[in-house]
Amino acid sequence: MEKVGKQPDLLKKKIAEYKEKLVKLINDCNQVYLTTHLNEDYDAIASIGAMALICKRLKKAPYIVVDQEDFDSLSVEKSDMYESLRDKNFIIINLEDFKNNIVENSLLIVLDTNKKYLTPLKNNYEDFSNIIIFDHHNTDSDTIKTKNKFILPDMVSSTSEMMFWLLKSMRINPKDKLYKNLLLTGIILDTDDKNKNTYESTLRSYIELNNPLNIDKEYVDMHFSTDYESDRRVQHLVDEMQWITMRFGISVDNSMVYTKEEVAKAADYALKYTAEAIITCGKAEDGGYNVSARSKRGNMNLAAMMSILNGGGGNDYNASCSPLYPKCDDLDAEKEEILRRIKNILYLRSRRKKPNNSK
């Protein structure tokens, strides 16, 4: 078995601080609500599951708030994840249910995002006495207003990893393999199976989780099996890549319909090539374009770039923005407009200011 060092001291200290505040806020509230970003991924659902378990151990049964339309359109694998949590007697509600159930002194815990416009809650944040954010993405002007921001963009690979260390700090070692299955799945997703965005703490969490005594390997592997037709779409989007001075790869395609996951997979795949940044854009079923951005070395501020493009978020390695809806006369014009916007941002973000040595 591969050996790695101990959990870094700074991360250990941060997690201990978060644990102390989290426990107090959960114990002091009347009701806990959990939510994550729209178009949730494995990392988001895994984090929800771990936090639900923590609340349960503290004798506060949480409500998991989802967007009904978003929830109904989830893939089979993601739906099964939520059903597994429902089987553990965790209650999943939509926004209408939330409005009918909210009580005084309620606590909201937002996981795997910090952007107010990315959660199912819309503009209902004022209904809570306290809000906690657990996330690994950078903050900006669209971050939810709260003093309880538990955010580690440069220390962990994923929110699942944060939850792994939080569970250990709280000495919660669930016998049920479900929670560890979910956490390992989330970590594998956000690191592309340890190929990006990986820290010493990530390797340690991966090794501890990836043990036959802790997880069901078939369950985890199932979430990364590839459908043939979907894989062909991913490869086609990669084949459409345009290279700008060999530093930036941009792919925009509207010859077929792509899911958000396929656009993200294309960006991940293209990281095998030599580039500072990869940006992939694929036409979605609703007519918009899903966008993903990746950087192998993390030396590009992808979160800022996506925010400029269309209100996005993420970190230096992994980011996305809200779907693009170019107002053009035809598909060729849409493609050219998106390419133009991205190239302009890449040019602005990659320029280096010349030092001013004048006295």
Side-chain angles (χ1 to χ4, degrees):
M1 179 181 291
E2 180 182 357
K3 292 184 179 180
V4 294
K6 295 181 179 179
Q7 181 187 4
D9 290 339
L10 182 56
L11 176 59
K12 187 175 183 179
K13 180 180 178 181
K14 286 286 187 183
I15 293 295
E17 292 173 358
Y18 296 167
K19 178 194 73 172
E20 183 178 351
K21 294 178 182 177
L22 174 69
V23 171
K24 183 178 189 311
L25 287 169
I26 291 177
N27 286 332
D28 289 348
C29 75
N30 292 329
Q31 182 62 60
V32 181
Y33 293 85
L34 310 179
T35 198
T36 185
H37 55 80
L38 301 172
N39 296 311
E40 48 266 73
D41 54 19
Y42 297 155
D43 184 28
I45 303 172
S47 302
I48 286 278
M51 186 57 71
L53 177 62
I54 290 171
C55 292
K56 185 177 181 179
R57 291 291 176 90
L58 294 174
K59 304 189 185 307
K60 288 285 174 69
Y63 287 105
I64 300 171
V65 185
V66 301
D67 178 270
Q68 192 63 56
E69 182 177 350
D70 183 61
F71 187 77
D72 291 340
S73 65
L74 289 174
S75 67
V76 173
E77 292 81 6
K78 294 174 186 176
S79 293
D80 286 347
M81 281 183 162
Y82 270 123
E83 286 306 311
S84 297
L85 295 178
R86 225 197 286 260
D87 289 343
K88 303 302 176 188
N89 297 317
F90 295 120
I91 301 173
I92 300 173
I93 63 174
N94 58 30
L95 188 59
E96 184 177 352
D97 296 329
F98 158 75
K99 290 179 177 178
N100 292 331
N101 279 283
I102 187 72
V103 298
E104 290 186 2
N105 192 29
S106 287
L107 170 67
L108 173 67
I109 304 178
V110 181
L111 297 129
D112 200 37
T113 186
N114 61 71
K115 305 296 185 291
K116 55 191 175 186
Y117 61 87
L118 285 182
T119 84
L121 272 299
K122 316 294 183 187
N123 294 312
N124 292 282
Y125 300 104
E126 69 279 356
D127 292 327
F128 298 96
S129 299
N130 284 295
I131 298 175
I132 300 175
I133 298 171
F134 273 94
D135 192 21
H136 66 113
H137 300 107
N138 292 331
T139 60
D140 60 24
S141 59
D142 289 313
T143 295
I144 297 167
K145 304 298 183 187
T146 176
K147 60 184 179 181
N148 301 305
K149 298 184 185 73
F150 303 160
I151 301 176
L152 301 174
D154 300 314
M155 288 189 192
V156 294
S157 64
S158 55
T159 310
S160 291
E161 186 188 333
M162 290 181 71
M163 293 299 103
F164 169 82
W165 292 115
L166 184 62
L167 287 171
K168 286 184 70 69
S169 179
M170 298 183 73
R171 300 175 189 249
I172 297 175
N173 185 23
K175 295 180 180 179
D176 192 325
K177 289 185 177 181
L178 170 68
Y179 301 100
K180 293 178 180 178
N181 285 341
L182 295 178
L183 290 177
L184 182 58
T185 303
I187 292 170
I188 290 174
L189 174 75
D190 271 22
T191 63
D192 190 23
D193 199 11
K194 300 183 293 179
N195 287 317
K196 65 174 186 179
N197 202 25
T198 301
Y199 300 85
E200 181 182 353
S201 60
T202 312
L203 295 176
R204 184 173 176 82
S205 62
Y206 183 97
I207 289 170
E208 289 198 32
L209 286 169
N210 194 24
N211 181 318
L213 298 176
N214 291 329
I215 56 105
D216 180 346
K217 192 173 187 309
E218 287 187 5
Y219 176 93
V220 175
D221 290 346
M222 174 192 70
H223 292 84
F224 298 98
S225 60
T226 302
D227 172 76
Y228 175 79
E229 294 297 334
S230 176
D231 184 62
R232 292 303 87 204
R233 288 191 290 273
V234 170
Q235 294 305 318
H236 181 78
L237 188 53
V238 173
D239 290 342
E240 292 294 303
M241 194 73 63
Q242 296 185 23
W243 296 96
I244 305 174
T245 65
M246 298 306 293
R247 295 188 64 205
F248 308 115
I250 307 172
S251 178
V252 182
D253 187 60
N254 49 29
S255 65
M256 55 185 71
V257 173
Y258 297 90
T259 66
K260 183 176 181 181
E261 288 79 7
E262 289 166 349
V263 174
K265 285 181 180 179
D268 286 333
Y269 182 87
L271 278 181
K272 66 184 288 185
Y273 305 115
T274 302
E276 297 293 333
I278 298 291
I279 299 176
T280 51
C281 311
K283 187 86 166 176
E285 190 173 10
D286 69 352
Y289 288 77
N290 290 319
V291 182
S292 287
R294 300 289 187 270
S295 173
K296 185 181 296 182
R297 295 187 295 168
N299 59 345
M300 296 291 295
N301 192 339
L302 296 184
M305 290 167 61
M306 291 295 99
S307 180
I308 294 170
L309 184 60
N310 197 32
N315 52 42
D316 291 346
Y317 293 89
N318 187 330
S320 62
C321 69
S322 299
L324 301 174
Y325 295 91
K327 296 179 180 179
C328 301
D329 295 332
D330 55 49
L331 293 177
D332 287 340
E334 287 183 359
K335 185 173 181 177
E336 288 304 316
E337 171 63 15
I338 292 174
L339 283 168
R340 182 191 64 79
R341 290 174 60 183
I342 293 174
K343 287 177 180 177
N344 285 344
I345 294 169
L346 282 172
Y347 173 69
L348 289 172
R349 299 301 299 183
S350 62
R351 280 193 307 178
R352 297 291 184 266
K353 291 184 179 180
K354 294 182 179 180
N356 183 0
N357 295 322
S358 60
K359 298 290 184 179

